[in-house]
Amino acid sequence: MPIQADERYTVKVADAYITESKEKGTLGLFMSYEGEAGKIDHTWWITSGTHENLKESLQKCFSITEKQLLDMGFLEGIGKFLAGKDVSIVTEDKEYNGKHFVAVKWMNPAGFRPKAVEKTGLERAARIFGGGTVSAPRPQYGSPEVPAYDPNVPF
């Protein structure tokens, strides 16, 4: 079965190189990924609005340093550096000029598992306080478990 949209795959980088769009001249990092489900290509565009996210992804996924990203020789041979490295990708359905296709949405380190999504504010608060589980509701004052407040009882 080919790579599907809205899925997570662990893949290997088959190829990578710096490219330039023919339409606008925008620079990008073309990456070809291969895995059990098939092959998918993606270009990570390098613009003033995207370069920080791409740099962070390259650092987290492949331990590429900022010094390497400033080295034209490294960028020229980035395909050799990345070839065969494992990475986790998330796919999505995209539309361009009325045509739908599967595209890479995110790139994460191999073995990456997203954090559990908290459904309520209580779950989020419990996690922040170091818990992570939501227990039964607390007894209310005046219930048989917790007697009502009595100012005459010394503590």
Side-chain angles (χ1 to χ4, degrees), residues 28-65:
L29 173 60
F30 171 84
M31 294 181 76
S32 181
Y33 305 98
E34 291 181 355
E36 291 180 16
K39 179 182 174 189
I40 188 168
D41 297 335
H42 185 76
T43 301
W44 300 98
W45 298 111
I46 305 169
T47 68
S48 60
T50 65
H51 76 282
E52 286 296 328
N53 288 338
L54 178 58
K55 180 169 63 172
E56 183 179 331
S57 291
L58 293 171
Q59 289 170 340
K60 286 182 178 179
C61 295
F62 308 111
S63 300
I64 292 177
T65 66

Side-chain angles (χ1 to χ4, degrees), residues 39-152:
K39 179 182 174 189
I40 188 168
D41 297 335
H42 185 76
T43 301
W44 300 98
W45 298 111
I46 305 169
T47 68
S48 60
T50 65
H51 76 282
E52 286 296 328
N53 288 338
L54 178 58
K55 180 169 63 172
E56 183 179 331
S57 291
L58 293 171
Q59 289 170 340
K60 286 182 178 179
C61 295
F62 308 111
S63 300
I64 292 177
T65 66
E66 189 160 347
K67 184 176 178 181
Q68 288 171 309
L69 292 173
L70 296 173
D71 182 341
M72 289 187 288
F74 176 81
L75 293 174
E76 185 177 29
I78 198 165
K80 288 181 182 180
F81 179 85
L82 293 175
K85 291 198 176 356
D86 290 327
V87 67
S88 175
I89 59 170
V90 176
T91 58
E92 67 179 337
D93 179 64
K94 289 281 260 195
E95 180 188 349
Y96 183 72
N97 289 336
K99 294 182 182 180
H100 285 267
F101 60 96
V102 177
V104 177
K105 183 177 183 179
W106 293 312
M107 176 172 59
N108 296 299
F112 174 82
R113 294 287 175 254
K115 294 178 184 173
V117 176
E118 295 131 344
K119 295 176 177 68
T120 68
L122 288 176
E123 289 175 329
R124 200 165 88 233
R127 179 189 49 79
I128 291 169
F129 285 118
T133 60
V134 178
S135 59
R138 294 177 49 119
Q140 299 296 313
Y141 284 105
S143 69
E145 297 90 8
V146 180
Y149 173 72
D150 184 350
N152 297 321

